[in-house]
């Protein structure tokens, strides 16, 4: 009689171990509640877990961001401290990151940190610390601007905020997405050439859809010439161009030119799944009502709010000073029109963009390079990624295959592939590469040690994440 409860517990544990070692659908469902850094650890449990983690990573393709505002209680920028903690709970594997911080705070703190490092002859600066937070091989584009526009972390429907002064910043993290090519670029007086423009995807690229472009040190002699060399081929393309002039660039590190030199950085987004639209709030748009009427024109693009992000690139001369001391006018107006789209951007020293809609088979208008550059305006931009999905529908037990459903928002298809799962004693080796992708480099990207977890330990970790997600 006394042994019955113990036997019952042992039987339940045996069933759980069997399920976690053999039933891919259950394991995959559990792993969807696990952040990416922990998920990469779990790839070392066995081949079944490795393959399940691969499928989970494959469908985790949503944009993620971390934002911060207000003075930091520690040395360094508030965004760096927020990222250090929140990166542990990110559910994607970042491939490209766009970081924007206020120039006054970041540049001042960076200068102080470097002075201390020189006196002590060691210690990394805040830029190096920031880059270390992301996986090896992740492309980080970091710019400092006079003001920041951001949506708080955690919710797409959160109210965006304009910070024309004070400490603020954000990091937008883009995963590797099938059918989407995101290429960072950087041009200065030593690297600007037609060949490099082609390599960056800015010329002779029929799939180019959106270009986010930022000029730095724009008032120095020669800066306008480089910017025009980039804008001229883009002006008559079918791509949407949006951005502006920022104070300086701190990532990627510039090995081709000296600190303080001028140039252009940005991101080129290509692929048929990318769509975009932008409108220009001209200088005469000086009231909330007029701003709403202009932003409403973005509705003509008919872009779904899901998987869409907004950008606001405004002149430092606008903001609350432009709207009779009313704060957050344009950000609040954007949220009124698009309540479920997060908004990011900056206040800069000049704006780049125009009224344009880019869909699969047409572009709204053409313009010249001079028509892309403005002052005392705001460029409002929407970028949409058509969604695809891959869901395990079930297992055909007799034939030993997994059935996947894949497709875009308006279509889907079924794919049947041989089951590649193995028993609990088949440990995942670094050389195994399900679906032609090896997870070991991704694991090593965020971890210096090769972890080896047991199924029970990994299940407990997944359960904890699941309970927190329910809260």
């Amino acid at each position: 009689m006394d042994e019955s409860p113990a036997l019952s517990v042992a039987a339940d544990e045996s069933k759980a171990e069997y399920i976690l070692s053999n039933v891919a659908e259950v394991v995959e469902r559990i792993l969807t509640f696990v952040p990416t850094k922990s998920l990469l650890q779990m790839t070392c449990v066995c081949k079944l877990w490795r393959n399940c983690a691969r499928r989970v990573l494959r469908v985790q393709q949503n944009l993620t961001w971390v934002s911060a505002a207000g003075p930091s209680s520690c040395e360094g920028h508030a965004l760096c401290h927020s990222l250090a903690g929140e990166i542990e709970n990110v559910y994607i594997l970042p491939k490209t990151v766009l970081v924007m911080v206020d120039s006054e705070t970041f540049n001042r703190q960076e200068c102080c940190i470097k002075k201390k490092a020189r006196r002590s002859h060691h210690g990394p600066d805040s830029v190096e610390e920031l880059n270390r937070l992301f996986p090896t091989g992740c492309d980080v584009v970091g710019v400092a601007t006079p003001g920041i526009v951001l949506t708080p972390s955690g919710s797409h429907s959160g109210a965006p905020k304009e910070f024309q002064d004070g400490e603020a910043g954000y990091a937008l993290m883009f995963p590797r997405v099938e059918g989407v090519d995101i290429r960072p670029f950087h041009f200065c007086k030593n690297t600007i050439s037609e060949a490099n423009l082609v390599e960056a995807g800015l010329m002779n690229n029929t799939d180019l859809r959106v270009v986010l472009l930022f000029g730095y040190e724009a008032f120095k002699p020669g800066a306008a010439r480089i910017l025009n060399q980039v804008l001229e081929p883009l002006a008559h393309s079918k791509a949407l161009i949006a951005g502006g002039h920022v104070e300086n660039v701190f990532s990627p590190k510039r090995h081709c030119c000296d600190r303080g030199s001028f140039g252009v950085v940005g991101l080129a987004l290509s692929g048929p799944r990318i769509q975009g639209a932008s409108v220009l709030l001209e200088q005469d748009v000086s009231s909330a009502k007029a701003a709403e009427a202009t932003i409403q024109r973005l509705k003509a693009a008919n872009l779904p709010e899901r998987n869409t992000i907004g950008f606001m690139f405004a002149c430092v001369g606008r903001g609350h000073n432009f709207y009779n001391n009313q704060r957050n006018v344009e950000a609040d107006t954007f949220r009124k029109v698009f309540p479920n789209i997060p908004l990011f951007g900056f206040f800069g020293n000049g704006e780049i963009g125009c009224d344009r809609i880019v869909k699969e088979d047409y572009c709204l208008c053409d313009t010249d390079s001079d028509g892309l550059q403005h002052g005392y305006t705001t460029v409002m931009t929407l970028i949409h990624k058509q969604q695809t999905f891959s869901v395990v529908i079930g297992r055909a037990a007799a034939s030993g295959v997994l059935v996947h459903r894949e497709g875009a928002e308006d279509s889907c298809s079924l794919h049947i592939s041989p089951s590649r799962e193995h028993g609990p004693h088949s440990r995942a080796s670094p050389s195994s590469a399900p679906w032609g992708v090896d997870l070991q480099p991704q694991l090593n990207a965020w971890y210096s040690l090769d972890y080896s977890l047991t199924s029970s330990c990994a299940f407990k970790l997944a359960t904890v994440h699941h309970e927190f997600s329910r809260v």
Side-chain angles (χ1 to χ4, degrees):
M1 295 292 292
D2 295 338
E3 294 180 358
S4 297
L7 290 174
S8 177
V9 172
D12 291 342
E13 290 180 350
S14 178
K15 291 178 182 178
E17 184 176 352
Y18 174 83
I19 292 173
L20 292 172
S21 301
N22 294 277
V23 185
E25 291 86 346
V26 174
V27 174
E28 189 167 333
R29 174 61 176 167
I30 293 172
L31 295 186
T32 59
F33 295 100
V34 181
T36 299
K37 290 190 75 171
S38 298
L39 184 65
L40 291 176
Q41 288 180 294
M42 294 180 184
T43 61
C44 296
V45 173
C46 62
K47 289 186 178 180
L48 182 146
W49 283 57
R50 187 185 188 90
N51 293 347
C52 288
R54 173 66 183 91
R55 289 194 291 271
V56 170
L57 284 174
R58 186 182 180 186
V59 299
Q60 289 179 341
Q61 297 184 347
N62 293 327
L63 173 79
T64 301
W65 72 89
V66 173
S67 56
S72 173
S73 58
C74 306
E75 187 178 73
H77 198 276
L79 177 63
C80 298
H81 296 291
S82 294
L83 267 172
E86 295 188 37
I87 199 72
E88 300 292 333
N89 296 315
V90 167
Y91 284 79
I92 64 168
L93 185 67
K95 179 62 178 67
T96 308
V97 181
L98 176 61
V99 181
M100 292 194 179
V101 294
D102 70 287
S103 54
E104 181 179 0
T105 306
F106 188 84
N107 291 340
R108 183 180 67 248
Q109 292 177 344
E110 181 70 5
C111 182
C112 293
I113 291 173
K114 287 186 175 181
K115 286 181 179 179
K116 291 181 180 179
R118 282 197 296 267
R119 287 197 296 266
S120 61
H121 303 290
H122 68 277
D125 57 30
S126 56
V127 175
E128 292 177 355
E129 292 287 356
L130 185 67
N131 288 327
R132 288 178 183 175
L133 294 174
F134 301 108
T136 304
C138 179
D139 298 313
V140 181
V141 176
V143 300
T145 71
I148 294 293
V149 180
L150 60 81
T151 297
S153 302
S155 174
H156 282 70
S157 58
K161 299 293 183 184
E162 300 175 8
F163 294 90
Q164 291 185 264
D165 44 44
E167 193 168 347
Y170 59 85
L172 298 177
M173 289 168 271
F174 302 86
R176 187 189 302 275
V177 178
E178 296 177 9
V180 176
D181 180 21
I182 303 179
R183 299 187 198 176
F185 59 84
H186 172 219
F187 301 110
C188 65
K189 60 184 179 181
N190 297 323
T191 59
I192 186 70
S193 67
E194 183 173 330
N196 287 339
L197 288 170
V198 172
E199 183 179 357
L202 301 179
M203 290 182 63
N204 302 335
N205 181 7
T206 57
D207 289 329
L208 184 63
R209 294 294 185 269
V210 175
V211 178
L212 298 178
L213 187 147
F214 315 112
Y216 60 93
E217 306 288 352
F219 299 109
K220 293 189 175 181
R225 178 181 58 83
I226 291 180
L227 179 61
N228 285 329
Q229 283 183 265
V230 178
L231 287 179
E232 282 175 4
L234 294 174
H236 301 287
S237 71
K238 291 185 177 181
L240 184 152
I241 302 96
H245 296 286
V246 300
E247 288 289 332
N248 61 283
V249 173
F250 56 84
S251 182
K253 292 215 169 182
R254 294 167 289 177
H255 303 290
C256 53
C257 52
D258 299 328
R259 183 179 177 86
S261 60
F262 49 83
V264 177
V265 299
L267 298 175
L269 288 75
S270 304
R273 292 177 57 190
I274 295 295
Q275 301 177 354
S278 65
V279 294
L280 182 68
L281 280 68
E282 300 276 8
Q283 187 173 351
D284 58 357
V285 177
S286 56
S287 67
K289 184 177 181 180
E292 182 178 353
T294 304
I295 295 173
Q296 280 282 359
R297 298 210 306 267
L298 287 170
K299 289 280 191 178
N302 196 29
L303 298 177
E305 293 194 5
R306 182 177 175 82
N307 293 322
T308 299
I309 183 174
F311 284 100
M312 169 182 162
F313 303 118
C315 178
V316 290
R318 293 180 73 89
H320 64 87
N321 293 323
F322 192 77
Y323 288 99
N324 297 320
N325 290 324
Q326 297 182 60
R327 293 186 176 272
N328 228 62
V329 172
E330 293 178 350
D332 286 343
T333 303
F334 178 89
R335 185 170 186 253
K336 182 179 179 180
V337 179
F338 301 103
N340 298 311
I341 297 180
L343 180 67
F344 300 91
F346 60 70
F347 289 91
N349 302 312
E351 303 77 61
I352 300 172
C354 65
D355 283 19
R356 183 170 289 191
I357 296 177
V358 176
K359 301 281 283 200
E360 298 96 328
D361 54 356
Y362 72 88
C363 178
L364 179 122
C365 68
D366 289 330
T367 186
D368 55 28
S369 58
D370 292 334
L372 291 171
Q373 302 182 61
H374 314 279
Y376 291 100
T377 62
T378 297
V379 177
M380 285 288 188
T381 301
L382 296 178
I383 301 176
H384 172 69
K385 178 202 71 176
Q386 284 186 305
Q387 184 181 12
T388 62
F389 46 87
S390 174
V391 181
V392 174
I393 297 178
R395 178 190 300 273
S399 58
V401 300
L402 291 176
V403 184
H404 293 262
R405 185 168 183 252
E406 297 185 352
E409 293 165 325
D410 55 354
S411 64
C412 67
S413 59
L414 293 179
H415 296 269
I416 301 177
S417 57
S419 176
R420 304 189 180 190
E421 279 69 8
H422 302 273
H425 301 295
S426 299
R427 302 198 62 79
S429 63
S431 60
S432 61
W435 285 271
V437 178
D438 188 3
L439 284 178
Q440 190 63 29
Q442 299 175 357
L443 174 63
N444 293 337
W446 258 349
Y447 293 95
S448 57
L449 300 176
D450 185 12
Y451 289 86
S452 180
L453 306 181
T454 64
S455 296
S456 59
C457 178
F459 175 71
K460 290 178 181 177
L461 181 57
T463 303
V464 170
H465 286 299
H466 183 196
E467 292 300 323
F468 273 110
S469 68
R470 294 174 60 186
V471 175

